[in-house]
Amino acid sequence: SQLAEENPWALSVHEGESVTVNCSYKTSITALQWYRQKSGEGPAQLILIRSNEREKRNGRLRATLDTSSQSSSLSITATRCEDTAVYFCATETGFASALTFGSGTKVIVLP
Amino acid sequence: NSKVIQTPRYLVKGQGQKAKMRCIPEKGHPVVFWYQQNKNNEFKFLINFQNQEVLQQIDMTEKRFSAECPSNSPCSLEIQSSEAGDSALYLCASSLGVQDTQYFGPGTRLLVL
């Protein structure tokens, strides 16, 4: 079973609007990562937020982390069509430092 | 942008056949991970290497899957006797260190008929 889960499963927005994806996790973490996977590509890391951080920004992206509720969110402002992708949160497990991914949220940005 | 190269991009095999895929990590990255991503977007870690040495692998990998990362050659993942349930996207990722950012290749999509 996944250690991290995103919600919603899928959503669509129009270009220029903002979108937020949420993630909940079940284990103690040292950091949480957000990845984006476009069609035909592998996942690409967007933001890494450590357990002692509450917020992290990267351009139009903003991630938050609430360790008390074991949840995180990723917000994208001023969305563009090229932001269309599946967004995953991921945590690093102690086993081989492998990543455990959530099931992903598909975000579709419409023109 | 990731510079991890995976070949082939698509692989079609019959049940019981061998399936082999290759990965060239980013230059200077000694750590390589293999993951399996199924059609439900569920990821499963398979094995990782540091240079030519296996760091960890899951039980499934120990049975029908074999992998290696020889020096001066691409890393490879081979399924000895493919099963329908092996149909998935196989992702290779490389990193500078075991706990550093992993950079993923585009994957090899395996279809076992």
Side-chain angles (χ1 to χ4, degrees):
Chain A
S1 62
Q2 298 290 330
L3 294 182
E5 295 294 336
E6 295 89 346
N7 66 80
W9 182 74
L11 53 85
S12 63
V13 295
H14 286 94
E15 265 194 314
E17 295 178 338
S18 297
V19 66
T20 297
V21 178
N22 299 297
C23 165
S24 59
Y25 58 91
K26 299 177 183 177
T27 61
S28 176
I29 62 169
T30 56
L32 185 139
Q33 303 179 45
W34 282 96
Y35 278 80
R36 173 172 64 192
Q37 185 175 23
K38 295 185 178 183
S39 181
E41 300 180 5
Q45 189 194 68
L46 299 174
I47 289 181
L48 183 152
I49 183 166
R50 301 194 184 281
S51 59
N52 62 350
E53 298 175 306
R54 290 295 169 260
E55 179 181 300
K56 194 86 169 277
R57 292 177 184 266
N58 179 9
R60 296 182 294 112
L61 308 174
R62 172 178 171 261
T64 65
L65 181 65
D66 184 341
T67 52
S68 62
S69 63
Q70 296 190 307
S71 64
S72 175
S73 69
L74 175 71
S75 297
I76 309 172
T77 57
T79 53
R80 304 166 182 166
C81 286
E82 54 262 38
D83 293 326
T84 293
V86 181
Y87 290 80
F88 296 93
C89 62
T91 56
E92 189 178 295
T93 69
F95 183 72
S97 294
L99 293 171
T100 296
F101 289 83
S103 51
T105 293
K106 185 170 180 61
V107 172
I108 300 171
V109 181
L110 303 167
Chain B
N1 289 336
S2 172
K3 298 178 179 62
V4 175
I5 298 172
Q6 289 190 249
T7 57
R9 293 294 306 272
Y10 300 92
L11 194 53
V12 181
K13 294 291 180 181
Q15 294 196 50
Q17 291 186 323
K18 287 186 182 180
K20 187 169 186 175
M21 55 204 83
R22 294 175 176 80
C23 168
I24 300 176
E26 282 205 28
K27 191 173 182 179
H29 284 191
V31 180
V32 172
F33 294 79
W34 285 98
Y35 294 88
Q36 178 195 64
Q37 183 182 16
N38 67 19
K39 62 180 181 179
N40 296 320
N41 279 336
E42 294 167 335
F43 290 75
K44 181 182 291 184
F45 164 76
L46 298 176
I47 190 169
N48 64 347
F49 293 82
Q50 182 151 4
N51 296 312
Q52 293 79 51
E53 301 298 320
V54 175
L55 293 176
Q56 283 285 1
Q57 60 184 344
I58 64 169
D59 286 346
M60 180 182 79
T61 313
E62 291 170 1
K63 292 174 183 172
R64 295 185 298 110
F65 289 61
S66 62
E68 61 178 2
C69 272
S71 60
N72 301 317
S73 292
C75 297
S76 64
L77 176 69
E78 185 172 56
I79 306 173
Q80 302 301 323
S81 178
S82 301
E83 300 175 355
D86 298 329
S87 296
L89 182 67
Y90 289 84
L91 291 161
C92 173
S94 71
S95 62
L96 282 169
V98 174
Q99 295 183 332
D100 289 318
T101 297
Q102 295 178 32
Y103 295 88
F104 285 81
T108 292
R109 187 167 295 282
L110 172 65
L111 175 62
V112 181
L113 302 173

